Amino acid sequence: MDVHLRDLRYFTVLAEHLHFTVAAQKVYISQPALSKQIRALERQLGFPLLERRPREVVLTPQGQALLPTARELVAAWQEAWQEARAAGPTFTLTVGMQTAVGRDLQREALARFRDEGWRISLRLVSWEDPTAGLGDGGSDVAFLWLPLPGPGLVSRTLIREPRWVSLPAGHPLAAKSEVDFADLADEAYVALPRAAGPVREFWLATDARGGREPRIGTEVTSPADTFEAIASGLGVALIAEKNAQLYQRSDVVHRPVRGLAPAELALVWRANDARPEVAEFVAAFPALPSGTGSGR
């Protein structure tokens, strides 16, 4: 039977803390997403690993039996991966992202590093993983929209842009040149998955709703799904200003929104990653000075 090493890592961290919320923070995913992955692992194994009680979580006998070997496998892979990377010069970096970055942000820097002999790999990651691969080591750095999904990550803000709204072409608000967020508060929204954590809440503008819960029309895991859902009339969605230029469709319109703080696009990396190549890559992107940029 084959299982994902990622799921074994989730299990070992959960077994250490015996608390879903704490463990989810440690592995940079939401609590519902962690619970979903553990249940999927249990179904795959054919037996329960944890007993979920009203006020606590405890390991089952099967979970106790599996835990030592699971820890050994996770630790052995981490050690082997580090040894392999240290065996020779490292000129490879994987850059994670969840949407098209555009804005000429990466083009010049990536070209420079490639000219110097680096191998730069771009990895498009679903919104189900809010770290764009940083959490499981699949990415070395990532372009992410803030806020950060959890602790253990460091960011450098590169772009600050107003938030716009994407609407079906026939929507009544599409006739306006600008839209007040108050006019959007009761709309159904095309939302990121719950696993996206605080980034989902940002793009739902939860902080600007005065405690009112947003109305969710549907959830999506990719930009293509987002605009297809909007065009189908399932909801509206907030996006960054220049993403409105990147994602053009005849059946979707984009309008600026008044009354919202701007969005920030950042370069993100792991706080404990001291590799010089990561530091060199980060240094190639100048940080946006605090308080600059346009917003509404």
Side-chain angles (χ1 to χ4, degrees), residues 214-260:
R215 187 160 65 94
I216 306 302
T218 188
E219 293 186 354
V220 292
T221 59
S222 72
D225 292 343
T226 299
F227 295 107
E228 191 62 35
I230 294 170
S232 299
L234 297 180
V236 304
L238 297 174
I239 62 170
E241 179 182 34
K242 290 189 178 177
N243 278 2
Q245 301 169 14
L246 287 173
Y247 296 103
Q248 291 286 334
R249 291 178 53 137
S250 61
D251 49 6
V252 174
V253 299
H254 311 292
R255 297 290 183 264
V257 178
R258 291 185 294 258
L260 292 179

Side-chain angles (χ1 to χ4, degrees), residues 36-210:
K36 178 181 176 181
Q37 290 299 128
I38 293 297
R39 289 193 182 278
L41 177 60
E42 290 174 323
R43 287 194 299 270
Q44 189 174 5
L45 294 173
F47 51 77
L49 297 171
L50 300 127
E51 182 181 346
R52 298 155 177 83
R53 298 175 180 174
R55 295 184 179 275
E56 62 179 349
V57 176
V58 298
L59 290 173
T60 63
Q62 298 98 319
Q64 293 174 2
L66 181 64
L67 181 59
T69 300
R71 281 175 171 158
E72 290 175 4
L73 288 170
V74 172
W77 171 251
Q78 185 69 16
E79 182 179 354
W81 175 66
Q82 291 174 345
E83 288 179 356
R85 296 197 69 157
T90 301
F91 297 109
T92 300
L93 280 182
T94 300
V95 181
M97 58 185 67
Q98 295 167 318
T99 63
V101 176
R103 303 160 177 85
D104 290 329
L105 263 182
Q106 80 277 35
R107 186 178 305 166
E108 184 177 341
L110 296 184
R112 190 197 97 190
F113 282 107
R114 284 172 177 153
D115 289 344
E116 293 177 0
W118 292 50
R119 181 175 177 270
I120 305 294
S121 175
L122 300 179
R123 180 187 181 201
L124 189 62
V125 182
S126 162
W127 285 322
E128 291 280 358
D129 176 5
T131 72
L134 291 172
D136 64 9
S139 299
D140 300 296
V141 295
F143 291 107
L144 292 174
W145 291 100
L146 299 181
L148 292 174
L153 299 175
V154 183
S155 67
R156 170 174 289 196
T157 298
L158 307 177
I159 293 290
R160 190 174 291 116
E161 294 177 0
R163 277 181 278 183
W164 285 38
V165 64
S166 297
L167 306 153
H171 194 286
L173 293 175
K176 294 189 173 185
S177 59
E178 288 188 312
V179 179
D180 289 313
F181 180 67
D183 294 332
L184 294 167
D186 293 328
E187 293 285 335
Y189 275 73
V190 177
L192 274 61
R194 292 191 180 276
V199 178
R200 167 188 162 106
E201 301 307 318
F202 178 81
W203 291 110
L204 290 172
T206 302
D207 62 332
R209 294 178 177 273

